[in-house]
Amino acid sequence: MRIAVLSDTHLGHRRFYAESFAQLESSLKTALAHNPDIIIHPGDMFDNTSPSLDSLNRAYSIFSKFSNSGVPIYAIAGNHEKLPRDMANPVEFLGATGCFNYLHNTCKLVGEVAFVGMNYLPEDKAKDALELIIEREKDALSSAKKRVLVIHQNIKDYAPGEGLTKKWLNSLPFDLILNGHIHKRIYEWPIILPGSTLTTKINEEEVLPRGITVIDLASSSVEFKEIEQKPFFYKVLEFDDGKEEEIREAILSLYSSIKGEKPDAIIKIKLKGSTASEKTYISLPRMKDLYVDNDLVYKKLEKAVEEWKASLSEKKDIIEASNEELVKELSKKMENAEEFLSMLYTMEAEDIVKELLREEQVNKEVAAK
């Protein structure tokens, strides 16, 4: 059996609304071009629990067009679609129209292969729920020639946070496990993570091309197939006491260079290093498909804070004030960097820190009562 998998399409995405539908259509077209026996969508079909009518209509039109191909499509819901148990999530709602099959909490036999699906569940409930489904469907699973599990959970071997483990998943009675949720492509048979068809977080990890995964169950072979998409570029610009005009020109030059070669490119530029003045914000004209992540700092201010914290550590009565949270709180009280700098070298700073500590202690005492 050949299985095509496309996941985390995030239809109706706020930033990439039109692209989400275009890349769903491209994914389904690419899938059919590789002669699958079945198409699987392991969750996060939509970007939120309440898609607009336009999003639902577009999704219905696309899935309906491809459902007439004769290749069955099965889908589950992910964490982005999770609703209370007594409410139909958008994947269940759309599946009820017949444009694809809703696989949650059931076992479906396609040929001689059993497919078990489970929607996203909070990490502390997922394991028990899955074990209950397996126990309930044990007869169908034991009679099938091959068994495939479709889930949408975090796997803590691959991503931070709580989640299922590879060891536990590998102990389950399945020949193949398809998992959505994690946008990285990871192929570690029998666990397959197809990644997302859409660039959503515009960070360095998402530079890789988007696409689908095609699996031959008999030979355990896995292939990535790229889809049509807007190219995504992630670039870093570093400065040492850079002037605002210099930084602005560097951004505009890089943007023009990329757009000259790839007019439809999405561009993320990360600014690192330091500025020559206290103004770290860089004003830019509005530019299509440009996103700037500004991590620039003003060295003079940063150095002054460190010196002040060092001086505080020598005074036992206010040593606690050297922690970062209090420094942040103190800086919020200043109208600008110059005022903060001048204040750092006066006794007034110690008085303010003492007051902050006193307020913190009072708050703790009130909370305790």
Side-chain angles (χ1 to χ4, degrees):
M1 173 177 278
R2 288 175 63 79
I3 304 169
V5 191
L6 53 124
S7 187
D8 293 79
T9 47
H10 289 274
L11 300 177
H13 190 275
R14 177 180 56 82
R15 185 180 285 126
F16 300 119
Y17 189 88
E19 289 85 350
S20 67
F21 297 101
Q23 287 174 216
L24 168 65
E25 188 155 7
S26 178
S27 295
L28 290 167
K29 189 185 298 182
T30 303
L32 288 178
H34 290 87
N35 304 311
D37 297 295
I38 187 172
I39 297 172
I40 299 291
H41 191 308
D44 278 0
M45 179 180 292
F46 292 94
D47 195 54
N48 59 67
T49 56
S50 303
S52 66
L53 287 175
D54 181 68
S55 290
L56 287 167
N57 185 54
R58 288 191 187 205
Y60 173 75
S61 297
I62 294 169
F63 278 111
S64 293
K65 180 167 65 175
F66 287 94
S67 66
N68 295 325
S69 66
V71 178
I73 302 172
Y74 284 81
I76 61 169
N79 55 302
H80 276 251
E81 295 126 345
K82 182 172 172 53
L83 283 169
R85 188 181 299 178
D86 59 343
M87 297 177 67
N89 65 66
V91 179
E92 182 180 5
F93 175 80
L94 202 61
T97 67
C99 63
F100 58 75
N101 303 283
Y102 184 53
L103 189 60
H104 170 60
N105 194 28
T106 189
C107 177
K108 296 290 185 182
L109 198 64
V110 180
E112 296 182 301
V113 180
F115 288 83
V116 171
M118 185 182 79
N119 289 350
Y120 165 81
L121 284 174
E123 311 307 336
D124 60 335
K125 295 181 174 63
K127 189 174 178 180
D128 289 344
L130 190 50
E131 287 176 341
L132 286 172
I133 295 173
I134 292 170
E135 175 61 26
R136 190 191 68 215
E137 303 292 346
K138 62 182 179 182
D139 291 341
L141 289 171
S142 62
S143 63
K145 190 172 182 180
K146 295 281 186 179
R147 292 155 290 277
V148 178
L149 175 64
V150 183
I151 54 175
H152 189 98
Q153 298 294 146
N154 191 47
I155 301 174
K156 58 185 180 181
D157 303 84
Y158 303 133
E162 291 303 309
L164 305 178
T165 65
K166 286 197 302 181
K167 183 178 180 180
W168 183 76
L169 286 169
N170 283 325
S171 72
L172 299 177
F174 293 98
D175 301 284
L176 175 64
I177 298 170
L178 304 174
N179 184 67
H181 188 61
I182 299 169
H183 286 200
K184 293 182 290 186
R185 266 193 316 278
I186 299 172
Y187 299 160
E188 291 188 0
W189 194 275
I191 301 171
I192 302 297
L193 280 62
S196 172
T197 63
L198 184 70
T199 298
T200 57
K201 298 177 183 176
I202 53 173
N203 59 25
E204 193 170 8
E205 288 185 353
E206 300 219 348
V207 171
L208 293 174
R210 308 287 102 186
I212 67 164
T213 297
V214 179
I215 300 164
D216 188 298
L217 195 54
S219 63
S220 302
S221 67
V222 186
E223 295 180 276
F224 168 72
K225 302 296 180 182
E226 190 171 348
I227 62 172
E228 294 177 11
Q229 66 208 273
K230 280 188 173 182
F232 172 53
F233 292 85
Y234 181 93
K235 301 292 183 180
V236 176
L237 292 176
E238 292 199 46
F239 301 91
D240 185 13
D241 288 347
K243 296 179 180 178
E244 182 181 2
E245 189 57 35
E246 171 197 354
I247 297 169
R248 184 185 299 109
E249 284 300 318
I251 295 170
L252 295 175
S253 175
L254 179 57
Y255 176 84
S256 298
S257 174
I258 294 173
K259 281 290 189 179
E261 294 185 12
K262 302 284 185 180
D264 60 342
I266 299 166
I267 304 166
K268 174 72 170 286
I269 298 176
K270 187 177 185 68
L271 303 179
K272 298 176 72 174
S274 61
T275 57
S277 72
E278 66 181 71
K279 183 183 177 185
T280 57
Y281 171 75
I282 308 300
S283 60
L284 292 166
R286 185 179 293 275
M287 292 183 284
K288 186 181 179 183
D289 298 322
L290 174 66
Y291 302 90
V292 178
D293 186 1
N294 188 342
D295 279 352
L296 293 169
V297 297
Y298 178 33
K299 274 187 181 177
K300 187 178 177 185
L301 176 60
E302 193 175 55
K303 183 180 178 183
V305 170
E306 291 304 316
E307 289 177 355
W308 179 66
K309 287 168 66 177
S311 71
L312 288 178
S313 66
E314 297 172 4
K315 302 177 176 65
K316 288 184 179 180
D317 59 329
I318 54 171
I319 192 169
E320 294 168 76
S322 62
N323 72 65
E324 288 185 15
E325 288 305 313
L326 285 174
V327 171
K328 287 179 184 176
E329 188 67 31
L330 181 59
S331 65
K332 287 177 187 175
K333 292 179 178 288
M334 302 300 105
E335 291 183 2
N336 56 58
E338 289 301 326
E339 182 180 348
F340 187 30
L341 281 171
S342 63
M343 193 210 69
L344 289 176
Y345 298 104
T346 69
M347 288 302 293
E348 183 186 0
E350 295 181 15
D351 295 335
I352 292 176
V353 170
K354 285 178 181 177
E355 181 61 22
L356 286 171
L357 288 171
R358 190 190 68 77
E359 289 176 3
E360 186 181 63
Q361 184 59 37
V362 169
N363 290 337
K364 286 180 180 177
E365 290 173 0
V366 170
K369 291 178 182 179

